Amino acid sequence: PQPHQPSNADFSAWGFDGATAQLGMQLGSSAVAAGQDYVSRNFGTYIPSGHIKHQFNVSNSYVIKKLRLLLFPWLHKTYFRRPRAQGEWLPPREDINSPDLYIPVMSIFTYILLTTLHSGIIEKFSPLILGESASRALMVLFFDFGFVKLGCYLLSIPASTPVSDLLAYGGYKFVNVIFSMTAAFLGLKGPLWTLIFLYAFSSYGFFLLRSLRAVILPDSANVPATQGTGVVTQAQRRRRIIFLLAVAVLQIVYMGWLVRV
């Protein structure tokens, strides 16, 4: 076999020389590794390492399809996950409906960088912006997670969904937040930007409704055999639907706060 040769891709068209491009790629790889290590060290008590590895089991094609799904969820037909024969869920790279932590982690990093870039553009940069942006992002993420967990507890919804899955669903909102912020960076403002933000909110809200439906209103035909769904009365189902709608509608508050940089 031939020895591996370093990549000689030409990045000059993008305004970067080879050394700068290679440094950027190395920093990107380091950021992914740091994200995995951070999640493993800080949430290992609550999220088993097996779940973390499962959540980062993604491919390039999965990431592209998932981003398209988050921005255009109306084109997707079914949101139910596919189980393995052994009673486990398929990993993200094999099932687009499977939640992952790769996209949320990278989206949060990107959000922090965009807010810092914005502060530099308007000549108000301060090193404190990084900490403030990170704190705002994590506060929204965990408040959203706590609200969903509290609602599941009060409505007696079985706690069969891993913590990592709920964090992933909540973290996907940063993709649509970045979409709105990018539109603002391109110079779109006023009613046009408002329409773009409302579209970003509605697309994520629709995605969340369809995805969390399998958690809050599980169908026994679409869950692994190891997870029981129990009998849901009509009154319980009505309360769960109201709660599901409340979770989706609250996203406009979270996203509205995040885009105000």
Side-chain angles (χ1 to χ4, degrees):
Q2 296 297 323
H4 177 71
Q5 298 294 331
S7 175
N8 295 316
D10 183 13
F11 294 93
S12 58
W14 299 88
F16 301 103
D17 56 28
T20 303
Q22 291 296 330
L23 177 60
M25 295 174 65
Q26 292 176 5
L27 290 175
S29 300
S30 300
V32 174
Q36 288 179 287
D37 182 63
Y38 179 84
V39 172
S40 178
R41 286 187 291 104
N42 292 275
F43 302 104
T45 305
Y46 309 100
I47 308 176
S49 59
H51 287 170
I52 295 177
K53 293 179 180 179
H54 177 90
Q55 299 283 3
F56 281 94
N57 186 8
V58 301
S59 63
N60 292 335
S61 61
Y62 165 82
V63 172
I64 294 174
K65 291 178 181 178
K66 194 74 170 192
L67 293 177
R68 184 174 58 190
L69 170 59
L70 289 167
L71 295 176
F72 307 101
W74 350 92
L75 304 178
H76 198 57
K77 295 182 178 179
T78 177
Y79 284 78
F80 286 107
R81 298 171 63 181
R82 291 187 293 149
R84 291 184 185 274
Q86 298 85 357
E88 299 177 351
W89 297 118
L90 288 173
R93 66 166 53 239
E94 299 178 28
D95 181 14
I96 192 174
N97 294 323
S98 180
D100 70 281
L101 285 175
Y102 174 81
I103 292 177
V105 167
M106 296 306 296
S107 297
I108 291 175
F109 280 135
T110 305
Y111 169 76
I112 295 172
L113 292 176
L114 281 179
T115 54
T116 306
L117 175 62
H118 177 264
S119 65
I121 292 175
I122 62 176
E123 299 182 353
K124 292 184 178 180
F125 173 77
S126 169
L128 297 176
I129 297 293
L130 289 170
E132 293 173 357
S133 301
S135 299
R136 185 189 305 117
L138 293 178
M139 186 182 302
V140 167
L141 181 64
F142 288 117
F143 186 86
D144 189 14
F145 168 78
F147 180 77
V148 173
K149 289 295 288 183
L150 178 62
C152 290
Y153 173 77
L154 294 177
L155 295 176
S156 302
I157 299 174
S160 58
T161 303
V163 170
S164 56
D165 286 4
L166 295 180
L167 289 175
Y169 286 129
Y172 286 136
K173 69 169 61 66
F174 287 92
V175 172
N176 298 63
V177 168
I178 291 170
F179 178 75
S180 301
M181 294 175 65
T182 303
F185 284 161
L186 294 177
L188 301 179
K189 57 183 64 176
L192 182 57
W193 182 86
T194 302
L195 287 175
I196 293 175
F197 172 75
L198 290 176
Y199 175 82
F201 155 69
S202 59
S203 60
Y204 174 66
F206 182 84
F207 166 82
L208 200 62
L209 276 174
R210 297 296 302 274
S211 299
L212 287 184
R213 179 186 179 277
V215 176
I216 297 175
L217 295 169
D219 184 353
S220 59
N222 293 281
V223 297
T226 56
Q227 299 181 11
T229 59
V231 179
V232 179
T233 66
Q234 192 65 28
Q236 288 177 321
R237 182 179 181 84
R238 184 166 55 250
R239 287 193 293 268
R240 292 184 183 187
I241 291 176
I242 295 174
F243 170 65
L244 184 59
L245 290 173
V247 171
V249 171
L250 269 177
Q251 302 306 314
I252 194 171
V253 178
Y254 304 144
M255 295 175 65
W257 189 38
L258 289 170
V259 297
R260 295 186 63 182
V261 296

